[in-house]
Amino acid sequence: MDRFLIKISNYIDSHCPIDKQSLHLVALSGGADSVCLLLALRQLGYRVEAAHCNFHLRGDESDRDEEFCRSLCQECGIKLHLVHFDTREFASLRHVSIEMAARDLRYDWFRRLAHDIGAADICVGHHLEDSAETVILNLVRGTGIHGLAGISPFANGVARPMLGCSRKEIEEYLNCIGQSYVIDSSNLEDEAQRNKVRLSVLPIFRSINPSASENISRTADYVRQACMVFDSAIEQSVARVFSDDRIDVSLLKKEIAPEYVLFSILSKYSFSSAQVDEIFSRIDSQDTLEWKSKTHQLLLSRGMLIIEEVDDESFHEMIIPEPGCYVCSEGCIFEVSIEDCGEDFTPSRLPDEVTLDADKMSFPLLLRRVKEGDRFVPYGMRGTRLLSDFLTDNHKNLFEKRRQLIVADGEGRIAWVVGMRTDNRFAVDDATKRVARIKFRA
């Protein structure tokens, strides 16, 4: 027994930073792992409270587990927090599996409860075989090197002090102190993926090598340490190629693992690995290409990959019937005033304000986004020009072109490419008597 507690204590010191001055919330199911964790931490001098979830998935067995946890905590003088969930209804509403629903419900409640009672962390009873099972499952799923790192001893406020202990050691400890526990019958059914690994796959591995679980878990520790080095190198690569939501393709291609660097960036914007594969395969294309994830859009243009949030809302055009101050539905302010053009008149040089000949333009004005085929006469020129060509010459990418606003007069003529250039047909000259001053503030 002492050796077992010392093993947990040493693991906490080296892998799982929880201290004895803080309060710790222990997830208590009533099974051997969680019961062992609760009693071991208390015996090691940690301040603990327990939390039990009744998911109502196994009928009388679920109620039995709850009653066991009540009795155990009452006997040990440990405060117990209880919650009941309609797990099947939650899973149906969220369109997720029962297993995923139970996990989401459990951890969401644990985190809220830990915050409410001032607990430093949530302690769960994962052990060595759990880590080995996770490695095997992730290997089958193809989750990459981070999946082969198994279960982390401490991450996101969740501590796993018994991750270095085997299931056998846990049961021996409980037998030694005469402590009973409950058995979840669903863990004995070879249906869920994890149960298949536990009941069918790991026994085959242990028939090859009795220390298979320990060796897999140890390898996961090595991979976890290698991931730290790898992640540091990837972060440096990302910093070299990615800034201001832009990826420089020429710099990306110089990195040792360019496709993985690209995945590291784009996965944070909800792009899938399959999308990243396609994007990387087209990265040398001279065409302008687009991709979309659930939350973002990506543009390949002029050797740059440009990331922006998906703009699902179209700009609502605004009619300006007469001079005045107007607020667009998007929140921008558009102000038009008419003033006499006296001797002291000075044309505006500000990018968000223009002065035009009021008698050359007609109301109502229209504030809208660029449309295909739009033409105007850039200030200082005589002939018309496609607005799309003008924007291209000014290094605007496709996303920026789509967002570009223009002001058109009552005859549909573009008077102002907002923030960029006025139309020469409305320029103030020596004959101008009245000036239209137009201001735009986003």
Side-chain angles (χ1 to χ4, degrees):
M1 181 177 68
D2 290 340
R3 283 200 306 272
F4 180 74
L5 293 176
I6 290 171
K7 185 174 185 177
I8 294 177
S9 180
N10 290 339
Y11 190 84
I12 290 173
D13 290 341
S14 59
H15 292 87
C16 198
I18 63 173
D19 65 88
K20 293 184 179 179
Q21 306 305 315
S22 301
L23 175 65
H24 306 281
L25 182 65
V26 177
L28 180 66
S29 67
D33 310 335
S34 63
V35 170
C36 178
L37 176 63
L38 181 69
L39 300 182
L41 288 180
R42 190 186 65 156
Q43 194 161 349
L44 286 169
Y46 289 90
R47 293 173 52 221
V48 295
E49 292 184 12
H52 177 76
C53 304
N54 189 331
F55 296 106
H56 293 282
L57 293 173
R58 293 177 286 116
D60 293 342
E61 196 173 283
S62 293
D63 296 331
R64 176 210 65 183
D65 295 351
E66 178 182 325
E67 185 54 39
F68 174 86
C69 292
R70 285 181 185 274
S71 299
L72 174 65
C73 291
Q74 187 174 1
E75 291 172 9
C76 298
I78 298 172
K79 186 171 183 178
L80 174 65
H81 304 270
L82 287 168
V83 70
H84 290 244
F85 293 119
D86 187 343
T87 313
R88 296 188 191 281
E89 179 68 15
F90 180 86
S92 176
L93 290 173
R94 295 294 181 89
H95 304 290
V96 296
S97 67
I98 294 293
E99 183 180 18
M100 183 61 69
R103 176 183 173 82
D104 290 346
L105 288 167
R106 177 169 64 244
Y107 280 101
D108 284 348
W109 180 62
F110 286 161
R111 290 190 171 91
R112 291 197 303 271
L113 177 60
H115 176 269
D116 292 344
I117 68 175
D121 44 53
I122 304 154
C123 296
V124 297
H126 290 141
H127 51 76
L128 188 146
E129 280 87 354
D130 289 323
S131 183
E133 292 164 10
T134 299
V135 171
I136 294 171
L137 283 169
N138 288 342
L139 180 65
V140 173
R141 293 168 181 158
T143 55
I145 63 170
H146 289 88
L148 300 183
I151 302 175
S152 176
F154 189 94
N156 301 318
V158 179
R160 300 175 174 87
M162 297 198 310
L163 207 54
C165 302
S166 69
R167 171 78 182 190
K168 180 180 179 183
E169 290 173 314
I170 289 169
E171 292 177 348
E172 287 177 348
Y173 169 75
L174 293 175
N175 290 335
C176 184
I177 63 174
Q179 176 60 57
S180 62
Y181 51 88
V182 297
I183 296 175
D184 183 345
S185 62
S186 65
N187 288 336
L188 304 177
E189 298 171 1
D190 192 1
E191 292 182 1
Q193 288 183 336
R194 185 171 289 275
N195 283 358
K196 288 181 179 179
V197 172
R198 179 182 301 132
L199 301 175
S200 302
V201 178
L202 271 177
I204 294 175
F205 282 6
R206 282 193 287 266
S207 71
I208 299 171
N209 185 339
S211 301
S213 297
E214 290 84 347
N215 291 342
I216 293 172
S217 182
R218 188 180 303 111
T219 299
D221 286 337
Y222 298 151
V223 173
R224 191 177 306 116
Q225 294 175 49
C227 282
M228 294 178 188
V229 178
F230 177 79
D231 290 343
S232 177
I234 290 296
E235 285 178 12
Q236 294 175 40
S237 292
V238 169
R240 285 192 290 268
V241 306
F242 183 53
S243 63
D244 298 325
D245 296 325
R246 292 170 180 248
I247 303 169
D248 189 314
V249 171
S250 62
L251 294 178
L252 175 67
K253 290 164 64 177
K254 293 178 182 178
E255 296 299 319
I256 294 175
E259 187 169 0
Y260 196 90
V261 174
L262 183 63
F263 175 77
S264 297
I265 298 170
L266 297 185
S267 60
K268 296 177 182 177
Y269 297 93
S270 305
F271 287 93
S272 67
S273 57
Q275 284 179 300
V276 174
D277 288 344
E278 182 190 349
I279 293 164
F280 189 75
S281 71
R282 306 289 297 280
I283 209 166
D284 290 320
S285 175
Q286 299 303 307
D287 297 328
T288 298
L289 303 174
E290 288 183 82
W291 294 268
K292 274 190 178 182
S293 71
K294 292 180 180 178
T295 58
H296 287 77
Q297 52 192 353
L298 181 71
L299 178 70
L300 174 62
S301 177
R302 297 195 188 99
M304 286 286 179
L305 285 165
I306 304 161
I307 305 169
E308 287 192 358
E309 285 189 57
V310 171
D311 183 10
D312 290 329
E313 297 184 5
S314 59
F315 183 84
H316 298 286
E317 296 183 351
M318 183 171 67
I319 296 175
I320 312 296
E322 60 186 17
C325 185
Y326 301 83
V327 179
C328 301
S329 58
E330 286 74 12
C332 52
I333 298 173
F334 190 75
E335 187 175 349
V336 183
S337 61
I338 304 296
E339 57 192 62
D340 291 333
C341 184
E343 293 181 359
D344 58 348
F345 168 75
T346 302
S348 175
R349 305 293 184 188
L350 301 173
D352 57 356
E353 177 184 298
V354 293
T355 44
L356 305 173
D357 190 317
D359 294 317
K360 294 178 181 177
M361 63 194 308
S362 60
F363 283 85
L365 304 181
L366 177 65
L367 179 67
R368 63 170 173 83
R369 283 185 173 172
V370 170
K371 293 180 180 178
E372 187 176 351
D374 275 342
R375 303 186 73 92
F376 82 124
V377 182
Y379 179 77
M381 296 178 61
R382 292 182 180 273
T384 64
R385 186 139 192 253
L386 274 172
L387 185 49
S388 61
D389 291 343
F390 170 79
L391 294 175
T392 298
D393 289 347
N394 281 270
H395 308 293
K396 297 292 184 181
N397 63 56
L398 186 59
F399 294 157
E400 292 168 329
K401 288 181 178 181
R402 289 173 181 166
R403 286 196 303 271
Q404 180 63 50
L405 296 177
I406 62 100
V407 176
D409 78 341
E411 297 178 26
R413 298 172 299 175
I414 294 176
W416 182 26
V417 181
V418 177
M420 298 187 69
R421 188 79 67 88
T422 57
D423 189 296
N424 199 58
R425 292 170 290 185
F426 303 92
V428 174
D429 54 31
D430 293 340
T432 300
K433 296 179 180 180
R434 297 189 309 148
V435 170
R437 189 177 296 274
I438 306 176
K439 299 179 182 179
F440 178 83
R441 295 194 300 276

